[in-house]
Each structure stands twice: as structure tokens, then as C-alpha cells.
Amino acid sequence: LGDVLALPLAELIPDSSVTVVANLPYNVAMPVLFRLLELRARFPRAVVMLQREVAMRLVAAPGSPARGVTSVLLQTFADVRIAFGVSRRSFLPRPQVDSTVVDIRWRVEARVDVGAPEVYRAVVRAAFSQRRKMMRNAVAALAESRGFPSERLEAAFRTAGVEPTARAETLDLAAFGRLARALGA
């Protein structure tokens, strides 16, 4: 039929409540999941099989080294849970990796107050763009592009109740939401 990333899915599938069931190859899993995030009102649930490491990133909690942009953005707009593991021995030919089935139930509204969604996404992406940096340094370029000099950035951290020395992987969804709202002002 075509490339799932390019097809007009909302036009091709007229039903407004479709569950997506798929085995997503590693190289397209994230783009497909972000496409489903955009179309979450049309496709409220996805049950997908992914490489185990990718699945672990989707459910990574604050403080986990696996936590990243994908974890935060998907968890902001979905309830994500591991359904079950699938051993590499279940396939012929046998792949080099184990798989995991993940159940994603999309939410129309975010789990936390994100303010302007585009600012929230930009803050999350900036925060993880340089993983080992403190939040202050990770979002500095974004803040500057939004007209926030360094002293105003510090004030935004105070307003949000987020330590500027924290690392992105330690923040929960609410902290990202508060910071995005403070930077969106």
C-alpha cells in the first residue's frame, strides 16, 4: 500500500477509533510512533512489537539512563506499558535481539499541563540534545532563541521549581511541563 510515514492515514482509514497492531522494525519505530502521536485522536491505541531496548526506553522512569526524548514525549501523551517479552528464539531466522510487545493508549490531552505543545516539545528535545549537560546549559540556546537572557533563564528555573543543575533524565513530566510554561511566557 505504501510508506506508513507518508500515507494520508486519516483519509485512508475513515473509522475514528482504530487500534494499530504492528511489528515495528528498529529503523522506523520512532518515526512511526511519533506519527501515531500526531494522529492519536484517530488511533487511540497501538499494540506494537519493538526491539527490547527501544521498548525499555519508552517506559523509562525519571532517573533511568534509558530516559530520553521518546520516553518523555510519549509518556506525556500516552499510558505506555510493557505487555510481554518475545524471545529471539521465537523467530526463524533468529534475530540478534529480543523483542517486547508494548501497549500504548494515547490521550487526547497531555498528562500534565505542558502550556504550548510546541514549546514543550522544544524544551524536551533541547534538554536531551546534550545528555550529560545540566539543564541550564542544555536549554540555554533554546532560551536565547526565545529572547531569554541568562538571568531570565535562571528566573524561569526558579518559577518552574526546577534545579538548573539537574540532568534531563532525572526530571518527571510535571517538571518538564512547568519549565516549558515558564519558558513559553
Side-chain angles (χ1 to χ4, degrees), residues 12-143:
L12 290 172
I13 303 169
D15 189 346
S16 63
S17 184
V18 173
T19 296
V20 173
V21 178
N23 177 7
L24 298 178
Y26 178 72
N27 61 330
V28 297
M30 290 307 101
V32 168
L33 290 175
F34 280 112
R35 178 91 194 276
L36 292 174
L37 169 62
E38 293 171 15
L39 298 169
R40 66 188 179 275
R42 174 68 57 126
F43 305 104
R45 183 176 183 204
V47 179
V48 295
M49 186 162 61
L50 305 159
Q51 182 175 337
R52 183 180 189 284
E53 290 76 15
V54 175
M56 298 290 68
R57 275 190 264 153
L58 297 183
V59 298
S64 166
R67 191 155 174 90
V69 171
T70 306
S71 315
V72 172
L73 291 180
L74 264 61
Q75 290 173 21
T76 299
F77 294 98
D79 296 314
V80 184
R81 73 171 188 86
I82 300 293
F84 55 90
V86 181
S87 170
R88 65 186 80 187
R89 294 186 310 268
S90 300
F91 301 96
L92 286 174
R94 186 177 296 176
Q96 298 297 312
V97 298
D98 290 319
S99 298
T100 300
V101 174
V102 178
D103 187 356
I104 302 169
R105 297 185 187 234
W106 301 106
R107 297 165 164 258
V108 174
E109 297 296 323
R111 299 170 73 95
V112 297
D113 183 0
V114 300
E118 65 280 356
V119 174
Y120 181 79
R121 282 189 299 272
V123 167
V124 171
R125 289 183 195 285
F128 286 101
S129 67
Q130 299 175 23
R131 273 190 92 72
R132 297 308 315 148
K133 290 206 174 208
M134 294 183 286
M135 286 294 295
R136 168 194 299 126
N137 298 329
V139 300
L142 172 66

